[in-house]
Amino acid sequence: MEKLSNPQKTIEIIQKYHFNFQKKFGQNFLIDSHVLEKIIAGAGVTKDDFVLEIGPGIGTMTQYLAEAAREVYAVEIDKNLLPILAETLSPYDNVTVINEDILKLDLNKVAEEKNQGRPIKVVANLPYYITTPIIMGLFENHVPLDNLTVMVQKEVADRMKVGPGTKDYGALSLAVQYYAKPYIVANVPCNCFMPRPNVDSAVIRLTRHEKPPVEVGDEQLMFKLIRAAFNQRRKTLVNAVTNCGELDFSKEQVQKALETVGLSPTVRGEALYLDQFAKLTDALL
Ligand code: SAM
């Protein structure tokens, strides 16, 4: 079958199935073959790989993945896309399409059952409304990952690389620094999609660290503290942590921990580096 990665073929298939784009699912389909080639090369997909694709859409990227990988597991939430995918992916016998919400799927189980627990590759043009929960979920749940190569908003790609003192610094920046090494594979202008998004995009590859750059006694607690800090980023860390329903520390405990690690009792979480969050976590254990 002819590739979908051009505007004419995309329009043709969409019209054939009377498909309506759903904004709530972040549907912006790629229509540029050069970008697709860069993504596959950037992810380093080979015939040994089991690839998870999040949101195959009409199957544009899936076709490229099917040709490059051993097996592709594509998870799509929109059931209206299933008949389209059945047609566009019919030439490939190494693709499985699942109609599910990626945030509800047990991906450790998928990796265990489909790839004997060996590291998988994740390649996706992500739905932008859930970029952060998808990426943080994959890392925090310790899904065995080789790398994650994803299209995100340019601004989000930038946010992954910043530190304290910028408004973009947040939980995602810290999760990425802790778990992975980021590399920008390509910058992608909005005219490479149909319909065009309002923002420019970037493909970022996150390669999992074999060992995180800091040691911490309780990783889950550290990320609860980080989330609490940035959910209320204008509050002092003491207030943000004690207001957070997920955590059960008194003001005195947090103040004492801050003192132990040499931080001011009025510091905001947004001023802390990753190693300071790690030390604070250990002081609270
Ligand atoms: N991969 C296609 C491409 O590059 O042309 C489509 C990418 S489009 C930006 C995002 C896709 O993710 C859409 O097909 C959308 O329906 C799907 N999607 C949105 N939310 C999802 C979710 N929670 N779980 C799985 N798929 C989702």
Side-chain angles (χ1 to χ4, degrees):
M1 145 141 209
E2 198 189 325
K3 285 269 174 51
L4 294 160
S5 50
N6 67 73
Q8 298 74 25
K9 192 71 199 164
T10 297
I11 291 171
E12 190 189 308
I13 203 99
I14 278 168
Q15 287 182 343
K16 177 172 170 192
Y17 286 88
H18 306 289
F19 177 76
N20 292 315
F21 288 98
Q22 299 228 46
K23 226 178 163 168
K24 69 168 179 187
F25 288 144
Q27 290 175 342
N28 301 96
F29 299 158
L30 268 167
I31 50 168
D32 187 301
S33 55
H34 299 295
V35 173
L36 284 151
E37 281 156 17
K38 275 193 200 164
I39 296 173
I40 307 298
V45 178
T46 73
K47 278 287 165 197
D48 285 335
D49 288 321
F50 175 89
V51 175
L52 167 70
E53 185 189 8
I54 300 162
I58 57 172
T60 315
M61 191 193 286
T62 327
Q63 294 181 329
Y64 283 77
L65 290 170
E67 283 171 18
R70 185 187 87 237
E71 199 178 336
V72 183
Y73 193 82
V75 181
E76 175 55 61
I77 198 169
D78 185 354
K79 66 173 175 5
N80 294 327
L81 288 164
L82 300 186
I84 301 184
L85 288 165
E87 175 179 340
T88 60
L89 301 177
S90 61
Y92 307 102
D93 60 6
N94 58 344
V95 180
T96 310
V97 175
I98 305 286
N99 182 210
E100 189 47 279
D101 178 347
I102 191 69
L103 297 178
K104 297 199 177 133
L105 211 61
D106 182 344
L107 295 172
N108 279 305
K109 201 166 148 212
V110 172
E112 189 55 50
E113 285 177 4
K114 301 279 175 188
N115 206 36
Q116 293 77 49
R118 282 180 282 127
I120 64 169
K121 287 197 165 118
V122 178
V123 185
N125 171 12
L126 286 180
Y128 292 167
Y129 73 107
I130 44 171
T131 302
T132 301
I134 291 176
I135 296 178
M136 299 223 10
L138 284 163
F139 284 141
E140 285 190 69
N141 295 322
H142 289 267
V143 176
L145 280 183
D146 181 352
N147 70 45
L148 176 69
T149 305
V150 287
M151 179 88 70
V152 297
Q153 286 179 41
K154 172 90 179 59
E155 179 206 312
V156 175
D158 294 339
R159 200 182 302 158
M160 292 182 192
K161 295 167 62 175
V162 295
T166 61
K167 72 171 177 28
D168 288 336
Y169 186 50
L172 184 64
S173 330
L174 285 155
V176 167
Q177 286 171 30
Y178 182 73
Y179 289 110
K181 184 167 164 280
Y183 171 77
I184 303 270
V185 172
N187 285 309
V188 184
C190 50
N191 61 7
C192 295
F193 301 88
M194 182 183 293
R196 286 185 189 195
N198 298 327
V199 290
D200 282 338
S201 300
V203 178
I204 190 154
R205 181 180 66 219
L206 302 172
T207 308
R208 182 152 209 147
H209 291 308
E210 281 191 14
K211 195 165 161 283
V214 299
E215 278 186 27
V216 62
D218 184 341
E219 194 181 291
Q220 272 187 343
L221 174 60
M222 179 171 78
F223 278 99
K224 280 186 188 163
L225 288 169
I226 288 172
R227 263 195 295 270
F230 288 98
N231 280 345
Q232 295 193 305
R233 61 186 301 149
R234 307 307 295 164
K235 294 228 153 77
T236 64
L237 189 58
V238 173
N239 285 336
V241 169
T242 47
N243 287 346
C244 166
E246 259 198 317
L247 293 163
D248 191 21
F249 293 110
S250 67
K251 271 198 167 134
E252 293 68 35
Q253 280 174 302
V254 186
Q255 277 163 347
K256 186 155 179 297
L258 284 170
E259 198 185 319
T260 311
V261 299
L263 287 165
S264 152
T266 58
V267 74
R268 288 181 183 153
E270 63 179 7
L272 268 61
Y273 288 90
L274 177 63
D275 66 315
Q276 293 174 309
F277 273 110
K279 285 186 187 131
L280 183 68
T281 307
D282 288 345
L284 282 164
L285 285 175

